[in-house]
Amino acid sequence: MTSQTQIPTSVPQHIAIIMDGNNRFGKANQLATGAGHVAGKDALDPIVEHCLARGVQVLTVFAFSSENWARPANEVKLLMGLLEQTIHEQMPRMDQYQIRLRFIGDRSQLSDRLAALMADAEAKTAHFEAMTLVIAISYGGQWDIANAAKAVASQVAQGSLQVKDIDVDCLAKHLQLSDLPAVDMLIRTGGEYRISNFLLWQAAYAELFFTPTLWPEFGVDELDEMIEMFANRERRFGKTSEQLKR
């Protein structure tokens, strides 16, 4: 597989996915406890490869939210174990396809082992340029914005920033993914119609797609259908259709 060096305008630069429906998939198929999450982990690989083939620059997936810490302890333990397993499994693939691996979220709540594993994976893939795969772990959009506001407030307190100089661009520099393109297309699987505190700032002008398909059953054909619909949507960013034609 080779990645495209020039991104067609019809292909989103940045796709974000809320991978919902793993538990329901497991229950519907009478799988053992946690097997739905395992199936969800395995469903990611073909999506990553397909995004690379289509010329997508960034794929961000929601693996574990800041609110997911409230789930039953045994499920949280299982998910943390699967995240470690995912990183180990992804590293040879990142090397094979020259994909940079990034993580976003509050690492203070993670185990030292998982946090070290994440940092090591980021360091080893930092020079890859074919695509960036971002995995959101212990992430919440409200936390992200509050964290950026805290950084800006600290600069003001230190005297390195004036209040009058705080604007959208100033705050954006302190957000997670500040160095990557804004989200063009946000997908949620599993039949729910909300974005659940995911990339609230970065997806401000994203095209939203919702599907009843449970994440383990979501495949490249459905993704291609969404990308085709994306290409046919008019993205005005506050302007009128007439302005875009000028």
Side-chain angles (χ1 to χ4, degrees):
M1 185 196 314
T2 58
S3 62
Q4 299 177 8
T5 56
Q6 184 172 357
I7 309 300
T9 56
S10 60
V11 175
Q13 293 184 64
H14 189 166
I15 296 177
I17 305 178
I18 301 172
M19 306 179 295
D20 192 21
N22 292 337
N23 270 333
R24 281 173 285 159
F25 174 82
K27 292 176 182 177
N29 290 277
Q30 299 181 326
L31 302 179
T33 301
H37 289 298
V38 175
K41 175 182 68 66
D42 295 339
L44 179 60
D45 291 345
I47 297 298
V48 172
E49 292 182 23
H50 195 65
C51 284
L52 176 61
R54 289 298 305 265
V56 174
Q57 292 183 3
V58 185
L59 172 64
T60 300
V61 296
F62 208 4
F64 190 88
S65 76
S66 52
E67 289 76 24
N68 285 154
W69 290 110
R71 290 194 173 192
N74 60 338
E75 183 176 356
V76 171
K77 182 179 180 180
L78 170 69
L79 290 170
M80 291 296 110
L82 285 176
L83 288 171
E84 289 189 25
Q85 184 180 342
T86 296
I87 296 171
H88 284 298
E89 291 177 354
Q90 288 298 330
M91 287 304 291
R93 300 170 60 80
M94 300 298 99
D95 185 63
Q96 178 183 358
Y97 296 122
Q98 299 290 287
I99 297 174
R100 179 172 56 158
L101 188 58
R102 291 269 300 274
F103 299 93
I104 57 174
D106 182 4
R107 303 191 190 193
S108 67
Q109 298 190 70
L110 303 177
S111 69
D112 291 342
R113 184 173 65 180
L114 178 56
L117 185 63
M118 290 161 56
D120 182 64
E122 288 179 317
K124 288 179 177 177
T125 63
H127 61 289
F128 294 153
E129 298 181 347
M131 191 180 83
T132 299
L133 171 62
V134 182
I135 302 179
I137 300 176
S138 189
Y139 175 84
Q142 293 173 332
W143 165 85
D144 194 357
I145 296 170
N147 202 48
K150 186 186 298 183
V152 170
S154 178
Q155 289 184 325
V156 172
Q158 294 170 6
S160 60
L161 180 68
Q162 299 296 313
V163 172
K164 64 181 179 62
D165 295 324
I166 299 174
D167 56 15
V168 170
D169 292 334
C170 174
L171 190 62
K173 291 176 183 177
H174 297 279
L175 290 163
Q176 308 271 293
L177 304 183
S178 60
D179 59 323
L180 296 177
V183 176
D184 296 303
M185 178 178 179
L186 190 150
I187 301 168
R188 181 173 187 143
T189 63
E192 303 290 353
Y193 293 86
R194 54 180 177 269
I195 60 174
S196 295
N197 197 21
F198 185 44
L199 299 175
L200 300 179
W201 183 289
Q202 297 87 341
Y205 274 97
E207 297 296 318
L208 306 181
F209 292 82
F210 300 96
T211 173
T213 304
L214 302 177
W215 170 247
E217 299 174 313
F218 184 78
V220 298
D221 290 340
E222 189 167 5
L223 176 59
D224 275 339
E225 290 176 5
M226 292 179 175
I227 291 176
E228 183 177 351
M229 287 188 284
F230 172 87
N232 291 317
R233 290 188 183 181
E234 184 180 66
R235 306 185 72 204
R236 296 190 295 273
F237 299 97
K239 298 181 180 179
T240 65
S241 297
E242 290 71 23
Q243 285 177 299
L244 295 178
K245 295 175 183 177
R246 294 174 187 171

